[in-house]
Amino acid sequence: MSRYRNLSLFLVLAAAWGAAFMAIKAGLAYFPPVLFAAVRYDVAGVLMCAYAWYATDHPRPESRGEWLLVGVGATFIIAGYHAFLFVGETSPEVSSAAAAVVVSLSPVLTTGFSRGLLPSERLAPAGVLGLLFGLAGVVVLATGGSAALGDVGSGEALVFAAAACFALGSVLTERIDASLPIETMEGWSMLLGALLMHAASLAVGEPLEVRWTWEAVAALAYLSLAASALGFLIYFDLLDRLGPIQINLVSYVAPVFAAITGFLVLGEELDWTTGAGFLVIFAGFCLVKRRAIRDELASWRT
């Protein structure tokens, strides 16, 4: 029963996070992009901090190291990632599925940043090849199969920057010596990240007008409640049960749900370059994580 429960929650999480790319695309018709991301985490941050007060005995950061941890998470994982992602998805060439596929590069980039920031660790040749596969997948996706790197669109480049921010933030938070419950870290990072995005929205001169239609409210509610609050609660539960390797696979199932919901709700079509880019990025993930995947498979057999 535990295996079926984990599989069910895994699919729910992949669906929630995959459909989020569609909800972002839909909501951008009514919100300026950075302001949209900021308001999303105004709501999600309050909910997650409330849950941290309920579920942990350490509901707020106290030491300098804990605030540094929150600051890094807010800057890279929340503000940097979502600002670049939301602006990137304003491009008509970037479909929900394409954005999800580029973001699925994050686990590969995380390994690359980890090796680069730790001089004692080096990627083996197969790991370097896996990283190159991941980058090649983004190029295939962004150029539509063209050999010219100059054909890479600004939308895809911004989504790639989002994935890089997330990966770098993940590595930096692991390097900070601070023990803070993940619920507390996420909640306060969301709130501080929302403030940073509000400041960025004002700095770039975004208009403050929002077209409050039922579609806009639905997109915001889905992103704040389903994708963020509920999604992260499921993520925390599965992280304890499955470990980081298996939970990373959510990144490779989410694009399927992004493509399905993008087609059903927005009428987006899936072209061959999106599928090809996904397969090349997933091959890179398998190469980078080959030892961990092998160990996981061995544990399943025993």
Side-chain angles (χ1 to χ4, degrees):
M1 290 299 294
S2 177
R3 178 174 296 179
Y4 291 121
R5 176 188 181 278
N6 291 343
L7 177 60
S8 298
L9 288 176
F10 182 92
L11 292 175
V12 169
L13 180 60
W17 283 359
F21 293 93
M22 175 277 298
I24 293 170
K25 196 79 172 178
L28 287 171
Y30 309 98
F31 292 86
V34 182
L35 179 63
F36 187 18
V39 174
R40 170 189 179 178
Y41 279 102
D42 287 334
V43 178
V46 169
L47 293 174
M48 187 58 67
C49 283
Y51 179 75
W53 279 94
Y54 167 77
T56 75
D57 57 0
H58 195 161
R60 64 182 179 85
E62 296 175 356
S63 68
R64 180 179 299 178
E66 290 172 353
W67 279 111
L68 177 61
L69 182 68
V70 167
V72 170
T75 301
F76 292 98
I77 298 176
I78 301 299
Y81 169 65
H82 291 92
F84 281 124
L85 174 62
F86 278 55
V87 176
E89 282 209 54
T90 62
S91 171
E93 290 80 20
V94 179
S95 66
S96 306
V101 169
V102 175
V103 168
S104 72
L105 183 64
S106 294
V108 180
L109 291 176
T110 299
T111 301
F113 280 127
S114 179
R115 298 301 186 266
L117 292 173
L118 288 176
S120 61
E121 298 186 33
R122 290 290 183 268
L123 278 175
V128 174
L129 182 62
L131 185 59
L132 294 176
F133 261 70
L135 297 174
V138 175
V139 172
V140 169
L141 180 67
T143 62
S146 169
L149 289 178
D151 292 339
V152 175
S154 60
E156 291 90 348
L158 287 168
V159 178
F160 176 81
C165 278
F166 188 91
L168 179 58
S170 299
V171 172
L172 292 176
T173 55
E174 289 181 3
R175 303 296 171 254
I176 296 173
D177 185 17
S179 58
L180 193 64
I182 193 168
E183 297 90 345
T184 304
M185 183 267 187
E186 288 285 351
W188 284 91
S189 293
M190 288 176 180
L191 287 180
L192 181 55
L195 288 175
L196 292 174
M197 287 187 286
H198 278 296
S201 176
L202 292 173
V204 299
E206 281 189 342
L208 298 180
E209 297 96 359
V210 175
R211 293 169 53 203
W212 288 108
T213 65
W214 74 266
E215 293 94 342
V217 173
L220 178 61
Y222 181 84
L223 290 170
S224 302
L225 302 177
S228 296
L230 178 62
F232 276 108
L233 291 179
I234 295 174
Y235 174 83
F236 298 148
D237 180 67
L238 289 179
L239 183 62
D240 288 336
R241 294 172 177 271
L242 302 179
I245 299 303
Q246 291 189 51
I247 201 65
N248 268 341
L249 294 176
V250 168
S251 298
Y252 298 95
V253 181
V256 177
F257 290 98
I260 293 171
T261 55
F263 172 75
L264 293 177
V265 179
L266 304 178
E268 296 177 337
E269 295 184 359
L270 180 66
D271 59 25
W272 73 267
T273 56
T274 303
F278 170 79
L279 292 176
V280 175
I281 290 173
F282 184 67
F285 171 80
C286 292
L287 283 170
V288 167
K289 299 291 187 181
R290 65 199 182 282
R291 293 190 179 92
I293 293 172
R294 182 185 60 205
D295 293 342
E296 286 289 340
L297 292 175
S299 68
W300 290 355
R301 286 194 294 268
T302 58

